[in-house]
Amino acid sequence: MSMQAGPFSGDFVAGHFTGPGTTSDISVPVTTTVFSPCTISLTAISLGYTLDYLMQTDGSDGVYSDELSTPVVAIGSYASTNNCNPVLASLIAGYVPQAIAAAETNAATAIEPGLRTDTLDRSICPLSAP
């Protein structure tokens, strides 16, 4: 699975940024001993990213990113299809909110190390023209 982020916007001084994103389609094969095998597909997945940094003045009319809170990844929308038995499909639908919450948490955990490496201790200078 690949995740993409669109342009971020936010407040450099406050260190709060948000941005849109997407991820590739997800197909989950399901096999049970009672029903025939089937596949659940999630498509048209849209994401929202939120990043919060602790910004400190750098002594040169700018700021630098001193710390990063755990990022937030929110699945804003998706389309779900399956070719499962109707009984199994309704059971699966009941677990979708839990699966979405777990996916959001796991995605945020997965991107955090790269964000720390690439964005912490970076100066943004100058904040305003003299």
Side-chain angles (χ1 to χ4, degrees):
M1 178 174 79
S2 66
M3 296 170 45
Q4 299 82 34
F8 278 78
S9 61
D11 182 341
F12 280 108
V13 176
H16 180 79
F17 303 92
T18 59
T22 59
T23 188
S24 54
D25 294 346
I26 301 170
S27 291
V28 181
V30 177
T31 304
T32 69
T33 57
V34 178
F35 300 110
S36 300
C38 63
T39 303
I40 301 165
S41 298
L42 299 177
T43 59
I45 302 168
S46 70
L47 304 173
Y49 297 96
T50 303
L51 308 176
D52 281 302
Y53 292 90
L54 173 62
M55 305 300 277
Q56 300 289 338
T57 58
D58 67 3
S60 300
D61 295 327
V63 294
Y64 69 94
S65 54
D66 188 43
E67 186 55 67
L68 171 67
S69 299
T70 301
V72 174
V73 176
I75 297 175
S77 63
Y78 62 93
S80 175
T81 58
N82 67 71
N83 59 355
C84 300
N85 175 292
V87 173
L88 184 57
S90 71
L91 180 65
I92 291 167
Y95 286 100
V96 168
Q98 292 172 341
I100 294 292
E104 291 170 338
T105 300
N106 289 332
T109 300
I111 66 172
E112 184 175 16
L115 288 170
R116 286 187 172 279
T117 300
D118 293 341
T119 62
L120 283 183
D121 299 322
R122 306 285 188 212
S123 287
I124 302 165
C125 241
L127 284 177
S128 60

